[in-house]
């Protein structure tokens, strides 16, 4: 069983920051993808940020590219999502996800339980 454990959600005002953490030790094979996905009210689940384990490259959804940053603690199997200048539209459940990568495409096979982020205007 692969467990991904998120922490760090909460409620903030617009313009403030939050940092999410995910322990992915159960999936730390050195390859594949680890990332953050979210589900906003009334919308489909969507990608937010991705960390590619082999080369440490990152990818972002366009609406968060200039405000969010995904990173890894090199000494631990933990990834972070630093979310700055939060907007009410960022509210939703944020999931840590992981899976293999094939031909440049990540398969999100494993999911955490999710953590709620609420941004008030």
């Amino acid at each position: 069983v692969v467990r991904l454990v998120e922490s760090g959600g909460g409620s903030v005002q617009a313009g403030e920051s939050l940092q999410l953490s995910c322990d992915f030790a159960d999936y730390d094979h050195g390859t594949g993808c680890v990332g953050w996905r979210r589900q906003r009210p009334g919308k489909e689940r969507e990608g937010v940020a991705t960390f590619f384990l082999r080369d440490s490259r990152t990818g972002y959804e366009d609406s968060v590219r200039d405000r969010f940053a995904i990173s890894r603690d090199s000494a631990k199997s933990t990834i972070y999502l630093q979310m700055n200048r939060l907007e009410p539209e960022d509210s939703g459940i944020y999931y840590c996800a992981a899976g293999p990568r094939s031909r440049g495409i990540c398969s999100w096979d494993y999911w955490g339980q999710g953590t709620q982020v609420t941004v008030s205007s």
Side-chain angles (χ1 to χ4, degrees), residues 47-65:
V48 177
T50 301
F51 189 95
F52 300 98
L53 292 173
R54 183 185 293 277
D55 55 17
S56 299
R57 289 195 303 114
T58 58
Y60 296 93
E61 191 271 329
D62 286 345
S63 71
V64 308
R65 186 180 308 279

Side-chain angles (χ1 to χ4, degrees), residues 5-81:
V5 183
E6 305 111 331
S7 61
S11 297
V12 296
Q13 296 290 317
E16 294 183 341
S17 300
L18 276 175
Q19 186 182 69
L20 307 182
S21 302
C22 173
D23 178 349
F24 69 99
D26 283 358
Y27 191 76
D28 194 0
H29 308 308
T31 63
C33 311
V34 183
W36 294 94
R37 337 303 289 162
R38 68 183 177 187
Q39 185 150 25
R40 297 184 284 176
K43 299 193 176 184
E44 298 287 324
R45 195 172 290 187
E46 61 185 349
V48 177
T50 301
F51 189 95
F52 300 98
L53 292 173
R54 183 185 293 277
D55 55 17
S56 299
R57 289 195 303 114
T58 58
Y60 296 93
E61 191 271 329
D62 286 345
S63 71
V64 308
R65 186 180 308 279
D66 295 329
R67 300 182 294 121
F68 293 8
I70 188 170
S71 62
R72 175 182 180 168
D73 184 328
S74 59
K76 299 189 291 185
S77 299
T78 303
I79 61 164
Y80 303 96
L81 184 68

